[in-house]
Amino acid sequence: MSIPNEAIQKLYQEIEAQLVNSQQQIGICKAQISTKQRDIRLMELTSKEMGSLPKDTSVYEGVGKMFVNVPMDTVDKRMSSETSQLKSDISGLEKKLYSLEMTHKNSKDNIGKILNPANKS
């Protein structure tokens, strides 16, 4: 049984669009992961630097165009919670990246099957 050329061409275009879309999404996802990893490193470095300061040191946080004196414990707790949130975000992004990479691989395999129908497995 033979499939009409128009149907094959339409299927090929749909798979190719899915391939391109997944490739773009993979790039975006990798960029988001690296940004979040950079933010984690920055938080850890800041926390380490703050840990070497005496406990009575004045710490200021930016609020709009001004700075507010905040207890060091509060800043440390906030940075710790932000770090754990970033780590969970990275975990979710890694799962999304795996899914996108599988979609990309499957699309490439399907295009190969369409272009080389003699190599059916």
Side-chain angles (χ1 to χ4, degrees):
M1 184 166 101
S2 178
I3 301 174
N5 281 343
E6 293 118 14
I8 292 175
Q9 187 175 9
K10 183 178 178 187
L11 181 63
Y12 176 79
Q13 289 173 345
E14 288 175 7
I15 293 173
E16 188 177 38
Q18 187 178 23
L19 178 75
V20 170
N21 184 39
S22 65
Q23 204 167 14
Q24 290 172 344
Q25 292 297 319
I26 286 171
I28 291 169
C29 196
K30 285 181 178 180
Q32 289 174 339
I33 288 173
S34 70
T35 299
K36 290 184 185 296
Q37 288 173 336
R38 181 182 51 88
D39 290 346
I40 287 174
R41 284 192 304 272
L42 182 63
M43 293 264 190
E44 288 172 347
L45 179 63
T46 303
S47 180
K48 180 181 173 186
E49 289 293 321
M50 284 179 53
S52 66
L53 298 173
K55 289 292 181 190
D56 61 343
T57 305
S58 294
V59 179
Y60 295 88
E61 279 192 331
V63 179
K65 293 184 178 181
M66 66 180 188
F67 292 93
V68 178
N69 189 359
V70 179
M72 194 179 289
D73 295 354
T74 306
V75 174
D76 195 38
K77 287 178 185 174
R78 181 189 54 79
M79 288 187 351
S80 176
S81 70
E82 284 182 25
T83 301
S84 64
Q85 179 63 41
L86 287 169
K87 286 180 180 178
S88 77
D89 291 349
I90 287 174
S91 176
L93 285 170
E94 286 172 343
K95 289 176 185 173
K96 180 180 177 182
L97 180 63
Y98 176 77
S99 172
L100 289 168
E101 286 174 342
M102 291 304 296
T103 301
H104 184 262
K105 179 187 172 295
N106 290 339
S107 296
K108 282 177 71 174
D109 291 346
N110 289 336
I111 286 176
K113 287 178 184 176
I114 289 173
L115 295 177
N116 297 325
N119 287 344
K120 290 185 178 178
S121 5

